[in-house]
């Protein structure tokens, strides 16, 4: 998916990145010296407590925002040296961004929403509609092209947003808490979609605070107070390993949430109490279809 | 390039969609534009129709190339000179025809009221005019029966006359009176032809057409050498009125031996001055209308700017999203500018519709002098052009505001 001319397979290269906000007299170091390299076809999860700078980092990765200092080279292009218009072009051609709140145009159909990036593209002048249909097909919404966002479920809306992010064949797909507004079942569907895209060669960076979502990534980058505190393969990430172990043992906050969910289900289904089924989730190895993704425990729990 | 065209195209639809989604708001906002455009178009259309109507009137009465020349005692010379001293004469008529190439045709004329008799019928105070044969070229009045006056009639001072159709009625003449005789001031005249009756009325006032007779100039002078005399002429080109007058003045002054600072002992008048008068009137109206239009367009423009500012802040997140997926600042600018222009142009179309309805009023009102008030194409172009211009001028500020938004700030907007 990357141009063959790129000598290395480095997609994202960040050096010494700082983002400092000044609010009144206070200065907030949202990012405080971040170095990060992401290679082609990686699937990276960025994790961290609320306020740790995840969104700030993502917005800069997505060229929606610019760092106060530091270098950001995307596919060999130094974006920190670009102006508004060139950045807009980079966003259009190389980046697919997925928001927690979907950000769909409420008055436009799915198809029109997906066509939006091509409105601002020089490349797909005559193929916009065809490409948009293909993208919707890819996310499994071929039969929802004429629907407006308010006629779609949350998961479907997010899939429209994903189709929109994919339609220009970006070299990198960025998702800032894409499942944050979704229920657990829909979260599974979306994550499945990401996995499939990744298998097809898509480079993906996803922000999440759910360990089970992060478990699908190959690599977890943890932020704290604007600094990278851990960057390791998912299997080797100590917090994640701990979480997996606790899951396997049926301990921890996850269980409580699961139990609460069962109770609610039972109440809703009063005359026929559901069977006591404990559903497990073991890292990347998902046992069977139909299993429910459990909402992650608070991401502070394992912070060292 | 193709992308720009496509973008414009889609932006226009987007803008129309936006306007349609807020129809009432759009109409209220565009009220100033609507009033402005409606008044531009209707005022210009009405003035155009009025001018055409007036030119028509003039043409049907005398023709717009008509010019009158007569002797006149200058104010300073009153008491020194008499009317007879400055009266124009046939020598001068011939001179003008010879030396003033901008005069196409000319006839001397004299006029008197005489009693006309035919059998037992008499008409008192009928207008009898003495003219050259060239009168037929100067004033295009059709001879419906018989023949026109000729040079020979004049040279031989024949007792022949042309009468108008009204005379037939008033004197109870035969339906074909050519060859009959009637009495003018007691003298027998042969009727050689019948002229169409021109309806007087319109801008020259008048009322009921009266009996008119035309006889050879020399015959008229023989009957009354002292009657007032003037020339009626046709200019070659009505647009060259000033040059023609200068030529006439030169010829007459030279002939009358007037030097340096002597005042003219003659006067002239052209129909074109009536047109000038109307143009002045039209200018006053246009000036007044321009003020109204300017004010309403300005107010309209402020309304547009206001609504566009509202639109930009209402849609800040949308702008953020568009930027996030790659809309470049100039593109966003254009989108909002096009929206403002579309809003204004739609207002312009509504104004056009109002103007059209206004132009239908004369048809509905009986006795209104103007029947057809066609929409002036120029006015429509000006009206629509101005409404688009207002869109650009007053839409640019909100559009710049939208274009300058930082994508992430816009997306965070509540
Ligand atoms: N526009 C802003 N102005 C001031 N401070 C900000 C702004 N955006 C983010 N911050 C601060 O930067 C820090 C990191 O924020 P963010 O990246 O949104 O965290 P996360 O996404 O990890 O929850 C927070 O302390 C937040 O308050
Ligand atoms: Mg965040």
């Amino acid at each position: 998916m990357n141009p063959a001319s790129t000598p290395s397979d480095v997609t994202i290269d960040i050096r010494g990145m700082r983002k400092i906000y000044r609010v009144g007299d206070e200065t907030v170091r949202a990012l405080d010296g971040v170095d990060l390299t992401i290679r082609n076809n990686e699937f990276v999860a960025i994790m961290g407590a609320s306020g740790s700078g995840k969104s700030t980092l993502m917005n800069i990765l997505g060229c929606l925002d610019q760092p106060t200092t530091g270098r950001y080279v995307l596919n060999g292009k130094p974006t920190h040296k670009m102006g508004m218009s060139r950045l807009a072009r980079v966003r259009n051609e190389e980046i697919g961004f997925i928001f927690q709140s979907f950000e769909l145009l409420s008055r436009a159909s799915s198809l029109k929403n997906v066509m939006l990036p091509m409105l601002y593209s020089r490349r797909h002048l005559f193929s916009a509609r065809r490409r948009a249909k293909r993208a919707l097909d890819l996310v499994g919404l071929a039969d929802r092209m004429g629907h407006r966002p308010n006629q779609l479920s949350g998961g479907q809306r997010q899939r429209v947003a994903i189709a929109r992010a994919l339609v220009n064949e970006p070299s990198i797909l960025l998702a800032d808490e894409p499942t944050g507004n979704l229920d657990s079942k829909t979260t599974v569907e979306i994550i499945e979609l990401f996995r499939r895209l990744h298998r097809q060669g898509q480079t993906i960076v996803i922000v999440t605070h759910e360990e089970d979502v992060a478990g699908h990534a190959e690599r977890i980058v943890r932020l704290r107070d604007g600094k990278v505190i851990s960057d390791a393969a998912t299997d080797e990430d100590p917090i994640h390993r701990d979480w997996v172990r606790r899951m396997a043992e049926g301990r921890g906050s996850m269980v409580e949430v699961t139990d609460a969910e069962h109770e609610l289900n039972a109440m809703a289904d009063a005359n026929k109490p559901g069977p006591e089924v404990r559903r497990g989730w073991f890292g990347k190895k998902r046992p069977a279809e139909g299993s429910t993704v459990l909402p992650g425990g608070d991401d502070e729990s394992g912070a060292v | 390039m193709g992308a720009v065209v496509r973008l414009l195209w889609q932006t226009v639809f987007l803008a129309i969609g936006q306007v349609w989604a807020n129809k009432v708001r759009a109409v209220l906002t565009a009220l100033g534009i609507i009033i402005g455009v409606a008044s531009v178009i209707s005022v210009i259309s009405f003035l155009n129709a009025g001018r055409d109507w007036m030119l028509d009137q003039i043409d049907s009465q005398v023709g717009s190339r008509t010019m009158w020349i007569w002797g006149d005692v200058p104010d300073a010379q009153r008491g020194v000179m008499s009317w007879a001293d400055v009266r124009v004469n046939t020598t001068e008529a011939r001179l003008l025809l010879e030396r003033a190439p901008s005069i196409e045709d000319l006839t001397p004329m004299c006029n008197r009221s005489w009693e006309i008799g035919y059998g037992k019928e008499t008409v008192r105070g009928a207008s009898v005019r003495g003219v050259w044969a060239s009168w037929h070229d100067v004033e295009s009045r059709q001879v419906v029966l018989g023949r026109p006056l000729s040079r020979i009639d004049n040279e031989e001072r024949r007792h022949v006359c042309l009468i108008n159709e009204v005379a037939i009625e008033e004197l109870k003449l035969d339906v074909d009176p050519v060859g009959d005789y009637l009495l003018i001031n007691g003298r027998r005249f042969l009727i050689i032809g019948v002229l169409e009756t021109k309806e007087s009325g319109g801008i020259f006032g008048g009322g009921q057409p009266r009996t008119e007779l035309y006889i050879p100039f020399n015959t008229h002078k023989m009957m009354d050498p002292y009657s007032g005399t003037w020339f009626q002429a046709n200019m070659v080109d009505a647009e060259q009125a000033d040059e023609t007058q200068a030529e006439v003045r030169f010829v007459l002054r030279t002939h009358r031996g007037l030097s340096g600072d002597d005042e003219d002992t003659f006067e002239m008048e052209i129909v074109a001055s009536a047109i000038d008068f109307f143009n002045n009137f039209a200018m006053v109206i246009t000036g007044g209308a321009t003020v109204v239009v300017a004010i309403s367009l300005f107010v309209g423009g402020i309304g547009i700017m206001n609504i566009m500012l509202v639109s930009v802040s209402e849609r800040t997140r949308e702008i953020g999203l568009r930027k996030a997926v790659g809309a470049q600042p100039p593109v966003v600018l254009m989108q909002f500018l096009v929206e403002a222009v579309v809003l204004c142009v739609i207002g312009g179309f509504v104004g056009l519709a109002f103007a059209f309805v206004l132009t239908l009023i004369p048809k509905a009102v009986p006795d209104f002098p103007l029947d057809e008030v066609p929409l002036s194409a120029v006015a429509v172009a000006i009206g629509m052009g101005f409404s688009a211009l207002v869109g650009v001028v007053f839409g640019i500020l909100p559009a710049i505001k939208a274009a300058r938004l930082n994508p992430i700030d816009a997306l965070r907007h509540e």
Side-chain angles (χ1 to χ4, degrees):
Chain A
M1 202 151 281
N2 263 354
S5 59
T6 313
S8 73
D9 63 349
V10 173
T11 303
I12 285 174
D13 187 31
I14 280 178
R15 291 288 153 246
M17 178 167 291
R18 288 192 163 74
K19 179 74 183 181
I20 297 164
Y21 291 109
R22 288 202 173 75
V23 183
D25 297 337
E26 273 182 70
T27 49
V28 179
R29 293 173 171 268
L31 291 178
D32 195 5
V34 172
D35 298 330
L36 186 64
T37 305
I38 293 173
R39 294 178 179 280
N40 190 18
N41 198 19
E42 270 195 291
F43 187 173
V44 181
I46 295 177
M47 300 196 69
S50 178
S52 57
K54 305 183 296 290
S55 292
T56 306
L57 178 59
M58 273 312 245
N59 293 338
I60 293 172
L61 289 183
C63 294
L64 294 168
D65 206 354
Q66 286 194 289
T68 312
T69 58
R71 296 164 14 97
Y72 170 22
V73 179
L74 174 66
N75 293 321
K77 286 173 222 151
T79 67
H80 52 281
K81 292 180 183 165
M82 293 180 179
M84 289 266 270
S85 281
R86 284 200 57 199
L87 281 175
R89 241 178 102 191
V90 168
R91 289 198 293 272
N92 184 254
E93 294 175 357
E94 304 195 31
I95 293 166
F97 207 102
I98 297 156
F99 304 89
Q100 179 175 355
S101 47
F102 321 137
E103 304 294 347
L104 298 175
L105 297 179
S106 57
R107 276 202 297 271
S109 66
S110 309
L111 189 66
K112 283 274 148 65
N113 266 294
V114 175
M115 283 169 73
L116 190 67
M118 286 178 292
L119 179 60
Y120 304 110
S121 153
R122 293 161 192 223
R123 293 184 300 181
H124 311 301
L125 193 55
F126 301 107
S127 55
R129 187 170 290 268
R130 183 156 44 82
R131 295 180 66 89
K133 283 183 177 165
R134 216 166 58 203
L136 278 168
D137 199 29
L138 190 70
V139 300
L141 287 179
D143 54 344
R144 293 285 190 278
M145 296 198 186
H147 289 56
R148 290 180 176 193
N150 61 6
Q151 297 165 324
L152 297 172
S153 73
Q156 288 170 330
R157 289 183 206 182
Q158 193 57 298
R159 281 193 277 164
V160 172
I162 293 171
R164 182 181 64 196
L166 290 171
V167 77
N168 268 350
E169 291 175 359
S171 55
I172 182 157
L173 196 62
L174 303 171
D176 189 353
E177 306 206 32
T179 60
N181 283 2
L182 302 177
D183 62 47
S184 43
K185 182 167 180 294
T186 322
T187 299
V188 177
E189 289 168 11
I190 296 297
I191 292 302
E192 263 308 302
L193 180 55
F194 278 123
R195 280 164 60 92
R196 203 175 82 221
L197 292 169
H198 176 233
R199 276 199 302 275
Q200 290 165 2
Q202 182 72 55
T203 313
I204 299 174
V205 180
I206 179 172
V207 164
T208 182
H209 56 252
E210 298 167 62
E211 287 290 345
D212 53 333
V213 171
H216 291 275
E218 297 171 321
R219 173 181 163 196
I220 298 178
V221 175
R222 290 183 191 272
L223 288 181
R224 185 174 187 175
D225 295 338
K227 293 192 176 80
V228 176
I229 53 162
S230 147
D231 181 353
T234 308
D235 301 340
E236 286 152 29
D237 184 282
I239 298 169
H240 191 70
R241 282 167 64 167
D242 182 45
W243 178 82
V244 170
R245 209 186 57 243
R246 282 190 291 136
M247 282 299 99
E249 292 166 3
R251 293 195 287 115
S253 53
M254 299 312 303
V255 181
E256 292 158 34
V257 174
T258 317
D259 288 347
E261 200 179 27
H262 274 289
E263 267 176 46
L264 280 171
N265 285 346
M267 272 157 69
D269 205 350
N271 45 355
K272 201 184 90 185
E276 269 284 301
V277 181
R278 171 149 308 154
R279 283 148 195 204
W281 182 267
F282 302 94
K284 291 204 280 184
K285 313 234 158 22
R286 226 177 105 225
E289 288 294 322
S291 53
T292 310
V293 165
L294 309 170
D298 62 47
D299 53 356
E300 316 259 4
S301 61
V304 184
Chain B
M1 198 54 212
V4 172
V5 170
R6 189 180 59 138
L7 192 65
L8 255 177
W9 184 246
Q10 299 195 355
T11 317
V12 167
F13 277 107
L14 209 74
I16 291 175
Q18 278 294 334
V19 173
W20 188 248
N22 302 301
K23 286 177 283 287
V24 177
R25 189 167 94 175
V27 167
L28 290 179
T29 307
L31 205 59
I33 308 284
I34 293 172
I35 293 173
V37 170
S39 25
V40 170
I41 295 177
S42 51
V43 165
I44 297 184
S45 296
F46 270 91
L47 284 178
N48 273 1
R51 180 182 293 124
D52 286 351
W53 174 79
M54 200 192 72
L55 287 178
D56 246 31
Q57 289 287 318
I58 291 171
D59 264 345
S60 70
Q61 305 281 320
V62 284
S64 54
R65 292 186 293 140
T66 305
M67 181 180 195
W68 293 278
I69 305 159
W70 67 95
D72 186 43
V73 181
D75 285 348
Q77 310 285 317
R78 291 267 153 86
V80 184
M81 273 184 215
S82 79
W83 289 101
D85 296 331
V86 296
R87 185 186 293 152
V88 290
N89 54 45
T90 50
T91 317
E92 285 172 335
R94 284 194 195 88
L95 260 172
L96 282 174
L97 279 172
E98 252 171 58
R99 298 194 187 160
S102 58
I103 296 285
E104 192 178 77
D105 275 307
L106 182 144
T107 178
M109 288 180 91
C110 45
N111 184 41
R112 267 212 68 162
S113 296
W114 272 315
E115 191 182 282
I116 315 295
Y118 177 77
K120 280 180 257 143
E121 303 294 329
T122 49
V123 172
R124 286 174 191 282
S127 153
V128 179
R129 290 182 170 179
V131 295
W132 279 359
S134 57
W135 175 78
H136 289 289
D137 301 319
V138 172
E139 195 171 326
S140 51
R141 264 176 84 170
Q142 216 166 341
V143 179
V144 290
L145 279 172
R147 68 165 177 87
L149 289 166
S150 72
R151 268 175 92 115
I152 316 286
D153 294 331
N154 189 51
E155 280 163 13
E156 298 187 351
R157 296 187 171 90
R158 285 182 183 163
H159 284 58
V160 295
C161 68
L162 294 170
I163 60 173
N164 65 352
E165 287 163 322
V166 179
I168 300 182
E169 286 168 39
E170 292 197 333
L171 291 164
K172 301 207 166 61
L173 292 168
D174 203 69
V175 256
D176 181 2
V178 175
D180 288 352
Y181 288 89
L182 46 69
L183 294 174
I184 301 177
N185 198 26
R187 294 175 185 244
R188 253 165 62 96
F189 275 75
L190 174 68
I191 300 171
I192 57 166
V194 178
L195 295 165
E196 61 173 332
T197 302
K198 282 243 165 143
E199 60 165 300
S200 51
I203 54 169
F204 293 107
Q208 286 297 310
R210 301 268 344 255
T211 295
E212 284 176 346
L213 286 88
Y214 290 84
I215 63 174
F217 183 81
N218 288 350
T219 315
H220 199 287
K221 278 288 167 211
M222 193 179 68
M223 288 167 69
D224 176 16
Y226 305 110
S227 62
T229 306
W230 73 92
F231 298 156
Q232 186 172 333
N234 249 1
M235 298 184 275
V236 173
D237 183 357
E239 306 284 309
Q240 304 279 311
D242 288 346
E243 290 83 342
T244 309
Q245 283 177 294
E247 233 170 59
V248 169
R249 174 170 287 120
F250 177 77
V251 172
L252 289 181
R253 283 183 71 92
T254 313
H255 178 250
R256 294 186 173 194
L258 297 174
S259 63
D261 31 62
D262 290 339
E263 283 185 75
D264 288 346
T265 51
F266 51 88
E267 281 279 358
M268 51 197 132
E269 182 69 53
I270 50 173
V271 167
S273 59
I275 300 170
D276 281 351
F277 175 77
F278 182 84
N279 282 343
N280 287 339
F281 165 76
M283 232 159 71
V284 172
I285 300 276
T286 309
T290 305
V291 173
V292 171
V293 167
I295 290 173
S296 53
L297 286 183
F298 184 77
V299 171
I302 297 288
I304 296 290
M305 182 152 80
N306 182 42
I307 216 68
M308 290 310 295
L309 285 171
V310 169
S311 181
V312 168
S313 62
E314 271 179 358
R315 283 151 66 199
T316 303
R317 275 180 86 105
E318 180 196 322
I319 296 165
L321 171 70
R322 287 176 186 276
K323 294 191 158 206
V325 299
Q328 299 181 351
V331 172
V332 174
L333 181 111
M334 196 170 69
Q335 182 191 326
F336 279 88
L337 207 52
V338 167
E339 194 174 314
V341 170
V342 165
L343 194 60
C344 287
V345 169
I346 288 176
F349 272 111
V350 176
L352 173 63
F354 272 117
F356 180 69
V357 171
L358 281 177
T359 59
L360 293 181
I361 289 177
K363 255 189 213 158
V365 177
D367 294 340
F368 199 84
L370 303 175
D371 276 343
E372 291 284 336
V373 180
L375 278 182
S376 150
V378 176
V380 172
I382 290 176
M384 300 315 268
F386 263 109
S387 59
L389 188 70
V390 166
V392 172
V393 168
F394 290 90
I396 193 89
L397 195 82
I400 287 175
K401 195 183 162 199
R404 278 206 187 142
L405 281 172
N406 186 357
I408 198 66
D409 292 342
L411 275 168
R412 274 203 209 103
H413 192 263
E414 289 312 310

